Amino acid sequence: MQRFADKVVVVTGAGSGIGKATAERFLSEGAMVTLVGRTRAKLEDVAKPYAEDRVLLAEADISNDGDVRDLISLTVQKFGRLDVLVNNAGVVAQGDVSTLTTDAWRTVMATDVDGVFYACRAAVPHLKSSRGSIINVSSVS
């Protein structure tokens, strides 16, 4: 039984780690998945075993509001709907409060916080129509 047959899912940070595993699980459960990441080669590796009509590769920077709006729009154009958004992408900066630069801090916040906001804001109108869900992944490093 494929629990997500014909569902449309966006997974950010899908090129490696938890995002890759999440995307692969949704695909194995019958979903159509937009794989979002900064490195196209990694996304292509994730997509390789699956039919082209079931995956969309979105090389994007989720800290960029325009990139996020575009990837949600492309998802709906290709698959006709959106059922699940998985906010998984994240970055980490090395250091502590006394050594971390302001630029490094802004990069973390832009990706880990702003990116989640942008994705939710872009996805919510479509998720309301489909009565879909948002999954926010977090970690402590």
Side-chain angles (χ1 to χ4, degrees):
M1 175 177 165
Q2 293 188 312
R3 295 180 300 172
F4 289 92
D6 301 321
K7 298 296 183 182
V8 177
V9 181
V10 168
V11 180
T12 68
S16 62
I18 293 170
K20 177 181 177 184
T22 300
E24 289 172 339
R25 182 61 185 257
F26 274 111
L27 284 159
S28 74
E29 292 284 345
M32 293 162 285
V33 178
T34 297
L35 305 169
V36 184
R38 294 179 295 175
T39 308
R40 186 162 193 87
K42 287 183 178 182
L43 300 176
E44 289 171 349
D45 284 344
V46 176
K48 200 173 290 183
Y50 305 99
E52 286 184 24
D53 64 338
R54 297 202 40 232
V55 294
L56 172 64
L57 305 183
E59 189 176 353
D61 176 356
I62 64 146
S63 70
N64 180 298
D65 188 30
D67 280 6
V68 173
R69 283 183 306 205
D70 289 348
L71 75 90
I72 296 296
S73 179
L74 289 170
T75 297
V76 174
Q77 285 175 18
K78 177 168 181 163
F79 298 121
R81 60 184 291 143
L82 176 61
D83 298 292
V84 180
L85 167 65
V86 180
N87 285 309
N88 171 73
V91 298
V92 64
Q94 299 300 316
D96 61 28
V97 72
S98 66
T99 61
L100 196 62
T101 67
T102 300
D103 286 344
W105 175 251
R106 287 302 330 136
T107 297
V108 169
M109 297 309 288
T111 302
D112 296 1
V113 178
D114 297 346
V116 171
F117 171 75
Y118 297 150
C120 289
R121 181 171 62 186
V124 160
H126 305 287
L127 295 171
K128 281 183 178 180
S129 295
S130 67
R131 299 186 48 84
S133 300
I134 296 172
I135 300 166
N136 293 321
V137 178
S138 67
S139 65
V140 177
S141 60

